[in-house]
């Protein structure tokens, strides 16, 4: 049986490394990015490529819908979306702060929600790993926004892991 995985933020450095590692182990991959041209540049015609903004519920659901349309049931998720908005709080714009939260926390919430929903609907076990940052746990100058977003992600992961453990769905974060 072919194993399928979703890699969000697949065109970025962490995402590309994850794709290479999973592909080398024979996984069938659904790779995502907000921009189709980034996926094409990174992967040519390899993998199922889905351009979607997973920081919205509709974008996250679009990824799972594309998988279903291609008769794929992903049982693994590597959420590699994120950005780092550096700057002290008193100098950070509201737009930059919201962009940081959207990329690092909101996208994780919507993507994990869609993924877990699909697993539960299929009555399938699965595993998700989300990318955090040491900034969530230590005081690093000018990292207030990313620290807040990643600390929120870690709290969400702990809660979701407890919620879905009975469904044989493992959820972890790595920093």
């Amino acid at each position: 049986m072919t194993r399928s995985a979703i890699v969000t933020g697949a065109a970025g450095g962490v995402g590309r490394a994850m794709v290479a590692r999973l592909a080398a182990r024979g996984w069938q991959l659904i790779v995502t990015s907000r921009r189709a041209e980034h996926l094409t540049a990174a992967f040519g015609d390899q993998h199922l490529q889905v351009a979607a903004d997973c920081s919205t519920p509709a974008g996250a659901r679009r990824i799972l819908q594309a998988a279903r349309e291609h008769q794929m049931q992903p049982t693994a998720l590597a959420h590699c979306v994120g950005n780092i908005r550096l700057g002290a709080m008193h100098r950070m714009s509201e737009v930059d702060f919201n962009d940081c939260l959207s990329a690092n926390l909101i996208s994780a919430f919507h993507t994990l929600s869609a993924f877990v929903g699909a697993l539960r609907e299929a009555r399938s076990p699965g595993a998700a790993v989300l990318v955090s940052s040491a900034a969530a746990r230590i005081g690093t100058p000018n990292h207030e926004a990313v620290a807040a977003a990643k600390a929120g992600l870690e709290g969400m992961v702990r809660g979701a892991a407890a919620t879905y453990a009975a469904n044989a769905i493992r959820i972890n974060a790595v920093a």
Side-chain angles (χ1 to χ4, degrees):
M1 177 183 222
T2 303
R3 300 176 298 171
S4 299
I6 298 169
V7 179
T8 61
V14 173
R16 280 188 198 202
M18 182 59 67
V19 168
R21 202 169 173 102
L22 290 170
R25 288 177 168 78
W27 284 77
Q28 188 177 40
L29 299 173
I30 302 119
V31 295
T32 74
S33 177
R34 285 182 291 180
R35 295 195 173 144
E37 63 270 19
H38 290 175
L39 293 169
T40 303
F43 306 110
D45 61 358
Q46 295 179 319
H47 315 302
L48 173 57
Q49 299 177 16
V50 182
D53 182 355
C54 63
S55 68
T56 68
R61 286 190 305 265
R62 172 71 192 116
I63 297 165
L64 277 298
Q65 180 61 38
R68 278 190 295 277
E69 289 169 2
H70 288 84
Q71 287 74 50
M72 297 169 74
Q73 174 59 56
T75 58
L77 165 66
H79 185 69
C80 303
V81 173
N83 71 24
I84 297 176
R85 300 285 193 202
L86 297 180
M89 294 171 76
H90 70 278
R91 288 182 296 187
M92 183 163 293
S93 72
E94 182 179 358
V95 169
D96 280 346
F97 178 68
N98 288 334
D99 285 350
C100 186
L101 285 180
S102 182
N104 293 291
L105 178 57
I106 306 299
S107 69
F109 182 90
H110 294 309
T111 304
L112 185 58
S113 175
F115 175 69
V116 165
L119 288 175
R120 287 177 46 84
E121 185 178 308
R123 292 192 161 103
S124 174
V129 63
L130 296 89
V131 177
S132 185
S133 169
R137 282 175 257 118
I138 62 172
T140 305
N142 300 309
H143 283 67
E144 293 89 343
V146 74
K150 294 301 189 175
L153 180 141
E154 289 185 11
M156 178 194 70
V157 164
R158 284 190 293 277
T163 299
Y164 299 109
N167 299 102
I169 301 171
R170 292 177 293 124
I171 304 168
N172 292 284
V174 295

